[in-house]
Amino acid sequence: MTDIEIANAAQPLPIGRIASGLGLTEEQYETYGRYKAKVRLETLQGRPLHGKLVLVTAISPTPAGEGKTTVSVGLGDALTALGTKAVLALREPSLGPVFGIKGGAAGGGYAQVIPMEDINLHFTGDLHAITAANNLLSAMVDNHIKQGLAPAIRPGTVTFRRCLDMNDRQLRQVVTGLGGKANGVPAESGFDITAASEVMAVLCLAKDLSDLKTRLSRIVVGENAEGGFVTAGDIGAAGAMAVLLKDAIHPNLVQTLEHTPCFMHGGPFANIAHGCNSVAATRMALALGDVVVTEAGFGADLGAEKFFDIKCRQAGLRPDCAVLVATCRALKMHGGVDKPDLDQENVPAMTRGFSNLEKHLENLRGFFGLPVVVAINRFPGDTEGELGWLTEKLAAMGVPAALCDVHQKGSKGGIALAQKVLDALRQPAHFDFAYGLEDPLGEKIETVARRIYGATKVTFSPEALRTLQRLTRLGYGSLPICIAKTQYSFTDDPKRMGWPESFEITVRQVRLSAGAGFVVALTGDMMTMPGLPKRPAALSIDMDEHGRIQGLF
Amino acid sequence: MTDIEIANAAQPLPIGRIASGLGLTEEQYETYGRYKAKVRLETLQGRPLHGKLVLVTAISPTPAGEGKTTVSVGLGDALTALGTKAVLALREPSLGPVFGIKGGAAGGGYAQVIPMEDINLHFTGDLHAITAANNLLSAMVDNHIKQGLAPAIRPGTVTFRRCLDMNDRQLRQVVTGLGGKANGVPAESGFDITAASEVMAVLCLAKDLSDLKTRLSRIVVGENAEGGFVTAGDIGAAGAMAVLLKDAIHPNLVQTLEHTPCFMHGGPFANIAHGCNSVAATRMALALGDVVVTEAGFGADLGAEKFFDIKCRQAGLRPDCAVLVATCRALKMHGGVDKPDLDQENVPAMTRGFSNLEKHLENLRGFFGLPVVVAINRFPGDTEGELGWLTEKLAAMGVPAALCDVHQKGSKGGIALAQKVLDALRQPAHFDFAYGLEDPLGEKIETVARRIYGATKVTFSPEALRTLQRLTRLGYGSLPICIAKTQYSFTDDPKRMGWPESFEITVRQVRLSAGAGFVVALTGDMMTMPGLPKRPAALSIDMDEHGRIQGLF
């Protein structure tokens, strides 16, 4: 059965049943149809965040991904099956990829979050609200310039871009304001996909409405004549933007196929932003559940590091355990096997590629101080020889690990993993950040690159160095850093697999996300507006006269 | 009290109560929060559309509008108060104006539809879904061109534009696809506000899901090498667009301050499109209510004519009565009074401006064959002398009329009007269209311009003539026509007030809306993307830490 067939065959509980199972009263949430709700942030007031926090992360992935969301969902269901009050906190998907390259974002197989169609389409409208707030700011900035309002924004310095929740390469680079004075002031600009917008990162890091407005106010839109920054607050846009986000800030409650509650809320990029679901969702889950399973983007070098150093630090959260998802496929890839050959058994390649897993393990255990369980996520092509080798290898190292087959078996395929996770949660965590905020910006970047990636040298372009100096001078020196790097390698070269012995990281550009509260260090060209492929998924997506959808995922 | 204070002080009923009052079962609708629902289109199956249909329209308006929505809401409440099972069918507002120039779109004073904040912000997400479907088509068109897919679209012929639900003049004229081959193919283009998108008109005219998909397929996006049209269906986009609109097609159910049910759904422009709420909403209201009050855009020359000749014709609806909203202010304006002096009593000016009302009355009664009631909508500055003169004038002519003060008094201020409407509904209607579909396109345009506007001459630009011939040749000759003209005058010059004796209408351009199913005749430059004013409403809109909104409307 396909994912959509499994999802449609499911018998979801009315969302009120899920909410009351969490101890929520009807005043504390609003339903969106039968199977979705938004739980009001005020529900958190006065509640201790008593739950244990489990982060699901992965080794450096293949382009198809290692199934972190599927493992998270299956782990949540297995914990529920074992009698634990488990709650999931996950990212919500973007429309762009749904119509671009096939791939759902609500788990897969028998480990899915439902209602899958709704979640992958408009859901509760959060991404549309973010798009509207983002584009209101852009319209107000350009109107501010055209009308000559104070404080003056210097022409050509506007850095804030419009966004759309769509894969549309045609909008990457545009010229706006053409056709004469009545149509504004001609300007070079572009659109990002909504997930890459700073407003998305802001929503995901905001603790409450006040914090949301403060962060929106801080977003830098351009420069004044003196070379200082002009912010969204300076031009009076933050209040109206917050009003557009008044519903989007409340975390969405849905359920898995096996009725485990799931807060699915926010989904920022994991390169130019921090890549985790909202702080509001994670806090809500910690207040209402005993064990919270959450997820970070890409591999642990990017996703987990940002989860710890940006999200947990800003939100005052302490993780208790990490699950490191590994697959035979990814290990073979790190051992030098090309994509077409990944389905062939190749234990020697896995042996060569194992260094990638080892380095991630060292980071999570040694540098961040967390108990780690490795989840060996089974894929159809895996052989018993490969799975056996990996299991034994980890056992020999004394690393807690479990084979995970939740895609095929649901919670039954995750019981062993859940038991190992419960064991790990009984161990003390000695969590610490990778760096201190008081370190200079450049040093923070160096620390992550050397300690977490294992770089032997870190080089800054002259432009990057100048920006770091300028941001420090303007008072942004104590922000955490967010490194934008390829997810396929510890290095900044997507082709260097495994854990290269000696490599250099080059920081080419530095940008400020003042609203989100971090400084982005770019180690390469980051794509913030995807394009459609030659045969977009949209071509296969259709609906019959009864509203039955075909071709979605 | 302000509109928002009145709205917030209201005690709305749970939307399930409103739905069950209409005889709906829980399976027939989905709630969106406590006070909004979408009623499933399938509910209509097998139900006769037994309700009487009352159209609220107006004389040629002042720029501030004559309060058609407020009168509609108050009339609905007064009918309810008189024991009639009344249901409203109204347009849903766009975000653009909310943050641009102050002005709610859910009625006003004590005649409002609630929840007003939600309705004026994201509501149930219909406009966002339309934006997404529109922009998916654009992304697919540009991807189709870049990837060189068949059928080939000739570069430079793409007429379909992107849209945003925002007032953003900067996007009226843009160049996209810059920065090299990886970013698409450079093209001149632009954005419209979502309400002006053909997808909005399509959603509003679609009877069901099949009809929706058929209409989406027909949308023309550009031309092929042979000079024929390439449609959304030709490039395989219609199915995915329909999937994005799967929820948006179901009409939204809300309530008035006095708990009259209101289907608020769809809101297309009234110049380049037909300007009425969705066919789905009107049909649903006719199936569930005994008297349905609905509204058309602008004055009766534009809104009512399109309501009859486009919407009623396509949907097989027969109106039973029209309410013509008139104000002392508008009559003074038509009598030559300038805006700053409209608050001064001036019966002689009203006498001069009365010809505007007379012509609209003649159109509705004489040409369309409907019983008409004039609603004299009271504004704060009106004097007893003015209201008395107008009441007597209409009485002397034997025209049913009633003073309407629903803004200040709610249903109590509309009882007299409701009684006159009920009287009118007891009279036979002899409804007919303004023209037959079998007439040639140019003749249909001439008929409306001469009969409805009273033009003495109709001129077509050479370009307009060529397009009319081409569209006829390509098989679009039997579509109804949609004239885009200023709403301030019967003529195509917004400064010519009253009912000018002798004037010429010039058709400058002709466009095809093949999905919506009409041919647009432009009599001037129509603005399809508004801009923000020097002091946008957004600057005053704010939210406190408890989520209480200030400055909205």
Side-chain angles (χ1 to χ4, degrees), chain A residues 13 20 87 116 144 176 214 286 289 309 338 351 409 458 481 527:
Chain A
L13 296 176
S20 63
V87 180
M116 183 256 228
H144 190 90
T176 62
T214 307
L286 288 168
D309 283 316
D338 288 336
T351 313
K409 298 180 182 161
V458 182
I481 50 104
M527 170 64 62

Side-chain angles (χ1 to χ4, degrees), chain B residues 66-287:
Chain B
E66 306 323 296
K68 276 194 313 284
T69 308
T70 304
V71 170
S72 301
V73 173
L75 172 58
D77 281 340
L79 287 165
T80 302
L82 289 174
T84 304
K85 193 170 177 187
V87 179
L88 288 159
L90 300 177
R91 291 171 292 175
E92 60 185 306
S94 155
L95 273 179
V98 169
F99 294 100
I101 297 174
K102 255 176 185 294
Y110 289 90
Q112 289 189 58
V113 183
I114 49 174
M116 184 256 229
E117 287 179 5
D118 286 9
I119 290 171
N120 279 293
L121 292 168
H122 308 290
F123 202 16
T124 58
D126 295 340
L127 271 84
H128 293 317
I130 292 166
T131 306
N134 182 101
N135 294 339
L136 174 63
L137 179 53
S138 281
M140 289 180 77
V141 166
D142 284 322
N143 189 57
H144 191 91
I145 294 171
K146 184 199 149 59
Q147 311 274 7
L149 304 180
I153 301 173
R154 199 151 48 90
T157 66
V158 174
T159 44
F160 193 79
R161 291 157 60 94
R162 288 175 178 80
C163 73
L164 275 186
D165 190 17
M166 193 61 65
N167 284 7
D168 192 348
R169 70 168 66 75
Q170 188 79 12
L171 295 178
R172 278 178 199 152
Q173 203 170 320
V174 303
V175 172
T176 61
L178 298 172
K181 227 175 123 181
N183 293 354
V185 180
E188 288 186 67
S189 187
F191 286 66
D192 296 324
I193 192 165
T194 301
S197 149
E198 189 179 347
V199 179
M200 169 62 92
V202 160
L203 186 90
C204 288
L205 288 167
K207 235 181 279 190
D208 52 34
L209 289 177
S210 305
D211 189 23
L212 175 69
K213 230 170 71 181
T214 307
R215 286 172 183 270
L216 292 170
S217 301
R218 290 194 314 232
I219 293 176
V220 169
V221 297
E223 299 182 10
N224 60 27
E226 293 75 41
F229 291 140
V230 179
T231 65
D234 293 335
I235 68 159
M241 291 171 76
V243 166
L244 280 169
L245 296 172
K246 80 177 176 69
D247 298 322
I249 183 108
H250 303 291
N252 307 304
L253 178 63
V254 284
Q255 64 191 292
T256 68
L257 290 172
E258 302 188 23
H259 314 313
T260 302
C262 176
F263 286 101
M264 200 169 206
H265 192 221
F269 263 31
N271 44 33
I272 53 113
H274 62 293
C276 329
N277 66 262
S278 74
V279 162
T282 305
R283 284 165 54 90
M284 192 68 80
L286 288 169

Side-chain angles (χ1 to χ4, degrees), chain A residues 83 199 230 268 359 419:
Chain A
V199 179
V230 179
K359 173 59 178 156
Q419 278 163 337

Side-chain angles (χ1 to χ4, degrees), chain A residues 39-181:
Chain A
V39 180
R40 301 197 63 81
L41 265 185
E42 304 88 272
T43 306
L44 276 170
Q45 265 160 19
R47 284 181 193 249
L49 306 185
H50 75 279
K52 295 275 190 183
L53 183 54
V54 179
L55 175 73
V56 176
T57 181
I59 66 171
S60 306
T62 66
E66 306 324 295
K68 278 194 312 281
T69 307
T70 304
V71 170
S72 301
V73 173
L75 173 58
D77 281 340
L79 288 166
T80 302
L82 290 173
T84 304
K85 192 170 177 185
V87 180
L88 288 159
L90 300 177
R91 290 172 291 176
E92 61 185 305
S94 156
L95 274 179
V98 168
F99 294 99
I101 297 172
K102 254 174 185 298
Y110 289 91
Q112 288 189 57
V113 183
I114 49 174
M116 183 256 228
E117 288 180 4
D118 285 9
I119 289 171
N120 278 293
L121 292 169
H122 308 290
F123 202 15
T124 58
D126 295 340
L127 271 84
H128 293 316
I130 292 166
T131 305
N134 182 100
N135 294 340
L136 175 63
L137 179 53
S138 282
M140 289 180 76
V141 166
D142 284 322
N143 189 57
H144 190 90
I145 293 170
K146 183 199 148 58
Q147 312 273 7
L149 304 181
I153 301 172
R154 200 149 49 89
T157 66
V158 174
T159 44
F160 192 80
R161 289 157 60 95
R162 288 176 179 80
C163 73
L164 275 186
D165 189 18
M166 193 61 62
N167 285 8
D168 192 348
R169 70 167 68 75
Q170 188 79 11
L171 295 178
R172 279 177 198 153
Q173 204 170 317
V174 303
V175 171
T176 62
L178 297 172
K181 226 176 124 182

Side-chain angles (χ1 to χ4, degrees), chain B residues 394-471:
Chain B
L394 291 164
M397 291 169 65
V399 176
L403 195 62
C404 177
D405 196 8
V406 297
H407 190 281
Q408 291 299 309
K409 299 179 181 161
S411 63
K412 283 196 193 69
I415 293 289
L417 176 63
Q419 279 163 336
K420 292 273 164 82
V421 167
L422 290 174
D423 288 345
L425 288 176
R426 279 179 217 112
Q427 292 167 41
H430 306 282
F431 174 70
D432 200 5
F433 302 112
Y435 54 84
L437 289 183
E438 64 288 355
D439 298 338
L441 288 171
E443 207 176 302
K444 287 184 266 204
I445 295 168
E446 287 225 23
T447 302
V448 171
R450 288 178 185 272
R451 289 185 66 184
I452 308 299
Y453 308 162
T456 36
K457 192 175 169 200
V458 182
T459 312
F460 294 87
S461 73
E463 185 200 337
L465 273 182
R466 271 197 308 275
T467 311
L468 286 175
Q469 282 159 7
R470 184 175 177 215
L471 291 180

